[in-house]
Amino acid sequence: QVQLVESGGGLVQPGGSLRLSCAASGFTLDYYAKGWFRQAPGKEREAISCMSSRDGSAYYADSVKGRFTISRDNAKNTVYLQMNSLKPEDTAVYYCATDLRYSGSRYYTWCPLHEGYDYWGQGTQVTVSS
């Protein structure tokens, strides 16, 4: 059974940092492209980062570029999102996602940041406030 579980959210002051984790089970996460998304109250879901399967190429939305970093630990079957210089507008529920279609050579060095994903975690709340 494909399962993704996020953790690491919380309350942080502006300018602070958090690291989110997304632990996968039931499949090998590294075989597939994966992404991080967020949704703030009253807003549409926003794609913020994705990582390719084989070489771990990373892509970012302009809103987080230079502040957020996606990484992976294959031994732990986990992908991370390091968030630095957090702003109040980063407040949202953060989700990781993957899709078993996103495997094969096309996804070795590329990931679909703005396409649909089939498997989602339950989300973790990040609140940036003083």
Side-chain angles (χ1 to χ4, degrees), residues 10 15 17 19 40 43 45 51 58 70 80 87 91 103 107-108 116:
S17 298
R19 189 178 79 156
K43 294 188 176 181
R45 186 173 61 202
M51 174 176 278
I70 189 171
Y80 302 98
K87 306 174 182 179
T91 295
S103 65
Y107 301 98
Y108 287 173

Side-chain angles (χ1 to χ4, degrees), residues 12-15 38 40 43 67 85-92 94 126-130:
V12 62
Q13 292 187 342
R38 67 185 181 187
K43 294 188 176 181
R67 300 189 297 124
S85 302
L86 283 162
K87 306 174 182 179
E89 51 264 42
D90 294 319
T91 295
Y94 284 70
V126 172
T127 303
V128 185
S129 175
S130 55

Side-chain angles (χ1 to χ4, degrees), residues 37-97:
F37 302 78
R38 67 185 181 187
Q39 189 165 21
K43 294 188 176 181
E44 293 187 355
R45 186 173 61 202
E46 178 187 15
I48 56 176
S49 182
C50 71
M51 174 176 278
S52 67
S53 59
R54 181 163 291 186
D55 77 346
S57 295
Y59 299 83
Y60 300 94
D62 288 343
S63 58
V64 304
K65 197 172 296 182
R67 300 189 297 124
F68 290 11
T69 303
I70 189 171
S71 64
R72 62 186 177 179
D73 185 334
N74 293 339
K76 296 183 178 180
N77 211 24
T78 297
V79 63
Y80 302 98
L81 185 69
Q82 178 67 44
M83 306 186 295
N84 298 330
S85 302
L86 283 162
K87 306 174 182 179
E89 51 264 42
D90 294 319
T91 295
V93 178
Y94 284 70
Y95 301 89
C96 64

